[in-house]
Amino acid sequence: MPTPAERPSPRTDHSQVTGSRVTGTRAVGRRAFTFGAAALGTTALAGCGRFSNDSGGSSDGSVELSFVWWGDAARAEATEAAVRRFEEKNPGITVRTEYQDSGPYQDKLATRIAAGDAPDLFAVPNRGLREYASRGALMDLSTAEVDTTTVEDSVLDLGTVDGTLYGVAAGLNTLGVVFRKQHLLDAGLELPDGLDWSWEDYEEMCRRITENTGATVYGSGYSTVAETTNITWTRQQGEDFYTADAGFGASRESIAAWYAMNNRFRASGALPPPGYSDVQGNSAEQQLISQNKVASQFFATNNFKAYNAASDGDLLILRMPGETTGVRRGHSIDCSMLWSLSSQTDHPAEAAALLDYLVNDPEAYTEMMTTRGVPPNREVTESIKADLHPDDLAATEYLLALQEEDLPTMYVYPRGATAMADEIGTVSVEIEFGRMTPEQAADALIRVGESELSA
Amino acid sequence: MSGTTVGSVQALPPDPSPPRPTRWRRSGPVNQAAASEERAAYVFLLPWFLGLGFTVIPFGVSLYLAFTDYNLLQSPTWIGAENFTRMLDDPKAVTASKVTLVYTFLSVPASIVSALAVAMLLNKGVRGLKFYRSAFYLPSLIGTSVAIVMLWRSIFGYDGVVNKFLGVFGITGPGWVTDPDWALVTLVTLSIWSFGASMVIFLAGLRQIPAMYYEAASIDGAGWWRQFRSITLPLLSPVMFFNLVLGLIGSLQTFTQGFVFSGGTGGPAESTLFYNLYLYQWGFQRFDMGYASALAWVMFIVIAFFTALNFLVSKYWVFYDD
């Protein structure tokens, strides 16, 4: 019969489990106590640190503003330089800044406001302007001392909800096509000027490139996930995706036609096969075109310098296809973010001063340049043109040329636009893998458009 | 002599030694050494008890919010049970539940089986046991981290390592990450890869099974499989129960993997739209924290139900040898 001494007891034979020698249970008890007390003390101290926050006024009477935006480290460096200059010009105001990547920033913004910690000045995504404005989170800028006379009305309209100005565009941009010159030349094609090409022309060029490279590089890699392409296409069919009264205006035929065309691009080889693009993230280096897997893509023009740098300077910037062959123009002058002031701010005058500086003072743009797009104030744009990097200049001229033309208005997105963006993302994948027909996709978008959108 | 038959361990004669401190069945410690261990346990748990105060208040508030319409920017307005009835008509909530349940019922059993298999291999007494144990344990520590999920995503990308490897054999792999039919499977694989924590606990449990049972069994002519079924499994059943309950609770709440893998969208085509991710979208991206809170409480009730079910059923298969 085995005695207790032979049987390995869990209490005294720790060596097999922990691989170390333990002297006995009493030592464990005492050691556990001190360790536990130390852990307790540390958590208590950490907890104390959390709740000491410095609020607006500090002891020397100066005002502290909080200013947040989204973007990468390069944009942050430039913005902070601009902010330091503002502080020099306005002694008595200090600015506390913070930034995140665009996804986390947008998720965090509403929570920040809910916590009563709304930043004084912040970037509002264009998709969210109506959401924030209609719920009273933004200040009516006509009551703030910000000089908007220098900004064109069409640009101010981008930040106007139901007749009230809630935000000023931080930078103007629009859609464009970037095309790698070398692949066009290798395929024996003339470099397009992008002024009057049709979607069929674009498809043919891309198909030829795919053929020429033996499908190691596809002619096009445009993404159907972003709603901006849907919006552009819908306009070219004579309709408005989001209407002036915050509704949904795309018809079943035009949506189905868009997805049917995408299927044709894929069938002919102009677009890569399903599942090819697993790019996630917004940085220029991650894009398919920068990895030389595709020869062209759609993009937002304020990123041209980054894209061109990542593509060895080989990029052409062109207008969207179908501008002259559609019912009306598809391009519009957009902004991806607007500067707004919080309606809960303790320092409206100082926050307005910072906003005024960002909108009207050319010195703010010495470092920032066109990282967010072309400045909303035309005079500022003219004054910084001479110092722009050639790529930024190319993108700026591209936009200014478009701005001269008679383009449709980009109406402020309705509430619930996030739900539509999600549905577009889902539907794109379903179409790509042939799990849905273009008509079914159209029905899905219309269903969301009718149930989720509101003013 | 024992007069026992292999397979009914209860037939062994009673042990004349003094009673050992039991596992958690009896109500109080039986001697001073056990009492000191219990004191140590409470000290370690003290931070959690204090933290309880911090979690009880959000619990209560979220229960209140579940009955309101709250957009984060304005004060909540009471709407009664409307959030709950809305859930019944929400096809996406059904999709999210399906995704989560499929993920759980694929990854939890597979994790437990892998953990047990590897633990049994290591229990044979390999050289470098400590190294292997740490090596297998490490993935479970970092498996839910953002960096690992992103790494996984790039390994299984269209042009990633896995597809290149398959390409060597002339197989064109699917888009593990971008194909709606495969994305969830890729995440299940990630979850199974992180089986290390359960493995270490199984290893400890295996070490506590007295060798004499196996000796007696092999003397009586029992083969490996019979020994496994009749000695290992019953004696490991408390550990298996523990891993099952915790695995189920954790897996049903998966968020990080889905969020990072799909960039917060639950894509491709809602194939990685975990329930937790879905309620996150409502709460933080769609200005409807009330509905998100209602979804969260339904999840809590479902998990509590599964856990209770587990405990009820446990008396039929979990064997405590005291």
Side-chain angles (χ1 to χ4, degrees):
Chain A
M1 201 44 54
T3 64
E6 284 173 31
R7 187 183 356 210
S9 151
R11 184 159 43 87
T12 54
D13 191 350
H14 292 275
S15 60
Q16 289 200 352
V17 177
T18 64
S20 63
R21 300 199 72 79
V22 176
T23 50
T25 52
R26 193 166 304 171
V28 172
R30 202 191 318 130
R31 232 191 285 161
F33 185 79
T34 34
F35 179 71
L40 180 58
T42 322
T43 38
L45 278 173
C48 286
R50 249 185 143 305
F51 290 103
S52 67
N53 62 336
D54 23 286
S55 52
S58 37
S59 52
D60 58 0
S62 69
V63 165
E64 192 187 59
L65 298 176
S66 59
F67 173 30
V68 305
W69 67 87
W70 82 77
D72 60 12
R75 182 184 287 174
E77 224 180 281
T79 314
E80 268 158 29
V83 164
R84 296 305 140 236
R85 195 167 296 117
F86 173 79
E87 286 177 335
E88 283 164 32
K89 290 181 154 192
N90 294 275
I93 307 183
T94 51
V95 182
R96 196 166 41 120
T97 63
E98 198 185 309
Y99 74 98
Q100 279 105 31
D101 196 28
S102 83
Y105 173 88
Q106 293 176 44
D107 291 353
K108 192 175 171 181
L109 187 57
T111 316
R112 242 197 263 252
I113 297 176
D117 189 26
D120 297 300
L121 172 62
F122 53 97
V124 177
N126 65 343
R127 192 182 298 126
L129 180 68
R130 195 181 285 267
E131 308 264 16
Y132 286 96
S134 64
R135 294 179 172 115
L138 307 178
M139 189 197 291
D140 176 356
L141 290 181
S142 59
T143 64
E145 281 164 30
V146 179
D147 180 15
T148 55
T149 53
T150 50
V151 181
E152 285 173 26
D153 282 342
S154 59
V155 172
L156 286 180
D157 283 343
L158 293 172
T160 306
V161 175
D162 297 332
T164 315
L165 182 68
Y166 286 108
V168 180
L172 303 174
N173 63 14
T174 181
L175 274 190
V177 180
V178 272
F179 225 130
R180 277 193 174 241
K181 288 191 276 258
Q182 197 53 48
H183 291 304
L184 283 163
L185 297 171
D186 289 345
L189 294 162
E190 262 180 43
L191 297 183
D193 60 11
L195 293 174
D196 55 4
W197 56 343
S198 66
W199 287 97
E200 288 73 31
D201 294 335
Y202 179 54
E203 183 185 351
E204 181 57 23
M205 269 181 230
C206 295
R207 192 193 61 73
R208 292 266 295 272
I209 291 175
T210 308
E211 213 172 50
N212 189 47
T213 62
T216 50
V217 175
Y218 285 89
S220 179
Y222 71 80
S223 159
T224 51
V225 169
E227 73 235 280
T228 36
T229 35
N230 286 74
I231 291 174
T232 307
W233 169 266
T234 309
R235 283 201 198 107
Q236 288 176 350
Q237 315 309 306
E239 298 156 1
D240 274 316
F241 195 79
Y242 291 134
T243 61
D245 51 5
F248 186 69
S251 70
R252 193 173 189 264
E253 292 73 34
S254 63
I255 301 173
W258 166 246
Y259 289 114
M261 187 181 76
N262 295 338
N263 283 341
R264 277 201 307 277
F265 267 64
R266 239 184 307 274
S268 67
L271 273 177
Y276 188 80
S277 166
D278 53 11
V279 170
Q280 207 189 94
N282 303 315
S283 84
E285 291 80 15
Q286 290 172 303
Q287 302 303 311
L288 288 176
I289 197 171
S290 313
Q291 297 180 48
N292 208 11
K293 291 190 175 152
V294 304
S296 70
Q297 260 183 234
F298 302 157
F299 80 123
T301 53
N302 57 308
N303 297 316
F304 185 60
K305 184 170 105 180
Y307 273 55
N308 208 15
S311 303
D312 316 306
D314 193 29
L315 296 182
L316 278 177
I317 181 172
L318 302 166
R319 295 183 179 186
M320 297 291 284
E323 285 290 283
T324 50
T325 57
V327 173
R328 59 180 183 129
R329 300 295 299 273
H331 270 282
S332 62
I333 304 297
D334 313 328
C335 61
S336 49
M337 66 185 88
L338 304 112
W339 296 128
S340 290
L341 300 178
S342 162
S343 56
Q344 313 297 317
T345 177
D346 295 324
H347 310 286
E350 290 81 0
L354 180 56
L355 177 56
D356 190 77
Y357 169 75
L358 289 173
V359 172
N360 294 313
D361 194 337
E363 288 191 35
Y365 289 85
T366 320
E367 292 87 6
M368 292 203 302
M369 292 282 155
T370 54
T371 169
R372 294 181 179 86
V374 174
N377 180 336
R378 190 68 80 104
E379 288 163 21
V380 169
T381 310
E382 293 302 319
S383 70
I384 63 171
K385 251 195 190 173
D387 303 313
L388 283 177
H389 184 281
D391 287 340
D392 279 339
L393 186 60
T396 304
E397 308 261 83
Y398 171 84
L399 186 128
L400 290 176
L402 276 170
Q403 210 173 11
E404 297 297 315
E405 299 173 17
D406 186 21
L407 295 178
T409 322
M410 169 63 99
Y411 298 116
V412 175
Y413 286 42
R415 279 165 46 157
T418 319
M420 177 61 80
D422 285 346
E423 190 67 18
I424 290 176
T426 302
V427 147
S428 300
V429 175
E430 302 272 18
I431 291 273
E432 194 180 329
F433 285 90
R435 288 153 51 121
M436 215 188 227
T437 66
E439 289 74 26
Q440 288 170 326
D443 289 333
L445 291 191
I446 290 173
R447 201 188 55 239
V448 172
E450 284 169 0
S451 59
E452 303 277 350
L453 302 179
S454 65
Chain B
M1 243 11 278
S2 62
T4 160
T5 53
V6 172
S8 61
V9 187
Q10 292 98 322
L12 284 171
D15 182 0
S17 63
R20 293 176 283 137
T22 64
R23 309 214 196 6
W24 46 278
R25 280 307 204 81
R26 269 196 234 155
S27 53
V30 289
N31 58 22
Q32 205 208 3
S36 140
E37 264 194 15
E38 220 174 273
R39 239 184 293 128
Y42 278 117
V43 169
F44 276 113
L45 286 175
L46 208 47
W48 181 83
F49 280 119
L50 292 178
L52 198 58
F54 287 112
T55 51
V56 158
I57 297 169
F59 253 57
V61 174
S62 90
L63 183 58
Y64 162 67
L65 287 178
F67 293 93
T68 64
D69 175 7
Y70 182 43
N71 57 42
L72 288 183
L73 302 175
Q74 296 164 310
S75 300
T77 48
W78 185 267
I79 55 170
E82 206 178 293
N83 283 328
F84 293 95
T85 50
R86 184 171 145 196
M87 237 182 276
L88 301 171
D89 286 324
D90 187 358
K92 262 190 163 182
V94 176
T95 311
S97 310
K98 258 195 261 183
V99 167
T100 311
L101 288 172
V102 167
Y103 175 83
T104 300
F105 288 115
L106 282 180
S107 62
V108 172
S111 287
I112 289 180
V113 167
S114 318
L116 182 55
V118 174
M120 288 185 67
L121 275 174
L122 292 183
N123 195 34
K124 296 261 183 262
V126 292
R127 252 189 352 214
L129 168 72
K130 285 181 218 163
F131 166 74
Y132 286 117
R133 198 175 52 212
S134 307
F136 279 111
Y137 185 62
L138 194 59
S140 68
L141 288 177
I142 55 177
T144 55
S145 71
V146 172
I148 290 299
V149 180
M150 291 181 75
L151 185 66
W152 209 256
R153 202 176 185 282
S154 93
I155 289 175
F156 282 88
Y158 199 81
D159 264 349
V161 172
V162 170
N163 273 352
K164 289 215 158 69
F165 177 73
L166 291 176
V168 168
F169 301 100
I171 310 172
T172 354
W176 302 103
V177 162
T178 48
D179 190 330
D181 293 328
W182 286 104
L184 191 61
V185 172
T186 311
L187 282 180
V188 169
T189 318
L190 173 60
S191 168
I192 296 174
W193 177 75
S194 329
F195 67 72
S198 344
M199 191 271 299
V200 166
I201 296 173
F202 271 130
L203 196 54
L206 282 170
R207 293 273 158 162
Q208 290 186 15
I209 300 177
M212 66 153 184
Y213 292 155
Y214 292 110
E215 287 161 16
S218 53
I219 287 171
D220 282 353
W224 175 85
W225 176 247
R226 190 68 212 268
Q227 290 181 27
F228 176 71
R229 248 181 48 211
S230 310
I231 301 173
T232 314
L233 281 186
L235 289 177
L236 270 189
S237 55
V239 179
M240 232 185 302
F241 177 62
F242 172 80
N243 280 329
L244 183 66
V245 168
L246 286 195
L248 208 60
I249 293 176
S251 195
L252 286 170
Q253 295 178 60
T254 307
F255 173 78
T256 311
Q257 291 92 315
F259 184 79
V260 176
F261 199 77
S262 66
T265 61
E270 296 173 3
S271 59
T272 61
L273 186 66
F274 288 93
Y275 191 89
N276 227 343
L277 176 58
Y278 181 55
L279 77 85
Y280 174 91
Q281 286 180 349
W282 276 111
F284 295 95
Q285 295 174 355
R286 303 205 195 155
F287 303 92
D288 200 343
M289 189 57 89
Y291 190 51
S293 304
L295 286 169
W297 274 90
V298 169
M299 176 167 75
F300 173 69
I301 290 167
V302 167
I303 294 179
F305 168 74
F306 274 119
T307 309
L309 198 65
N310 249 326
F311 273 87
L312 277 175
V313 172
S314 76
K315 65 171 175 271
Y316 296 109
W317 66 279
V318 180
F319 164 70
Y320 299 101
D321 66 343
D322 50 355

